Amino acid sequence: MASTDSRVAIITGAGSGIGAATAKLFGAKGMRVVLVGRRAALLEETAAKVREHGGRPFVLSADLAEADAPKRIVAETLRQFGQLDVLINNGATIKVGPLETYTIADFDEHMATNIRAIFFLIQEALPALKRSDDAAVVNISSTVGSVVKPGNSLYGLTKAAVEYLSRSLAFELAPFRIRVNCLASGSVKTPIHLIWAGSLEAAERDLIPRIPLGRMAEPDEMAYWIHQLVARETSFATGEVFHIDGGQALGTPE
């Protein structure tokens, strides 16, 4: 398949789920992709799939909770490819439970991974994005950023912040022709559900009754929308929060 998109993209949380699916699609479109995550083995699996689809991946193991991670990620990207055009902030952590179960360490980890890393990744990437002729940032939020789900106070708090940050930076960076959008993902079949539900089946039993379309999404469906938000054909869109959630934000089915 012929491709004309030679941009360089950083994708965090690229070892599995939405991040891995996005990396595979970006590679198939001709983009050079920097795969960021904590587990090198999973990143190598994603890299192999990207290569199978004709892409050129670069694996970069990093913990987003570490303060120096954004600087190192951007520096390594520029060292490897010499440019940076697209930033997909997908990596996140989650703990679910009632208020009294959270510790200060839990709070700090959520803020560091889900908010601070995004803020400073964009800051570190800014000089390179300003040099790009087609720069785009997509921050991944969640339906629980705008819809209350019991036990998600901490995770939902960070995702609501991601949505505000996306709109604020879209306005601030528009003069540089850098577009910033946010994808508020609904319930997707990814390993993150193992953290709070123990199994995908248990997650489905809890989540599907809350989704008007009556199913969870596949990671490839989210990857499609993420690519749409960085595509040249949609370059007039910025500052938007796109709810791709099977109608979940509309309310719980009767």
Side-chain angles (χ1 to χ4, degrees), residues 113-171:
T113 303
N114 297 2
I115 294 295
R116 188 181 70 191
I118 292 176
F119 187 97
F120 286 104
L121 265 171
I122 298 173
Q123 184 189 76
E124 290 291 337
L126 188 55
L129 294 176
K130 286 180 178 179
R131 291 192 296 269
S132 173
D133 64 359
D134 191 13
V137 177
V138 179
N139 300 319
I140 307 303
S141 178
S142 164
T143 300
V144 298
S146 55
V147 176
V148 171
K149 185 176 186 294
N152 280 264
S153 294
L154 184 51
Y155 180 70
L157 166 67
T158 65
K159 291 305 184 180
V162 168
E163 295 182 11
Y164 177 83
L165 180 65
S166 300
R167 293 192 296 268
S168 176
L169 291 183
F171 189 83

Side-chain angles (χ1 to χ4, degrees), residues 23-24 27-28 33 35 43-59:
K24 183 176 69 175
V33 290
L35 311 177
L43 295 175
E44 291 294 350
E45 291 178 10
T46 299
K49 294 176 183 177
V50 171
R51 293 187 190 98
E52 288 174 5
H53 287 76
R56 182 181 168 190
F58 174 63
V59 170

Side-chain angles (χ1 to χ4, degrees), residues 101 108 129 158 250:
T101 64
D108 289 347
L129 294 176
T158 65
L250 301 175

Side-chain angles (χ1 to χ4, degrees), residues 202-216:
E204 288 178 324
R205 288 193 296 271
D206 177 76
L207 295 170
I208 288 178
R210 307 170 190 269
I211 305 170
L213 284 183
R215 68 175 180 87
M216 293 175 69

Side-chain angles (χ1 to χ4, degrees), residues 95 97-104 106 153:
K95 177 181 177 180
L99 177 61
E100 61 268 22
T101 64
Y102 293 107
T103 66
I104 290 177
D106 294 329
S153 294

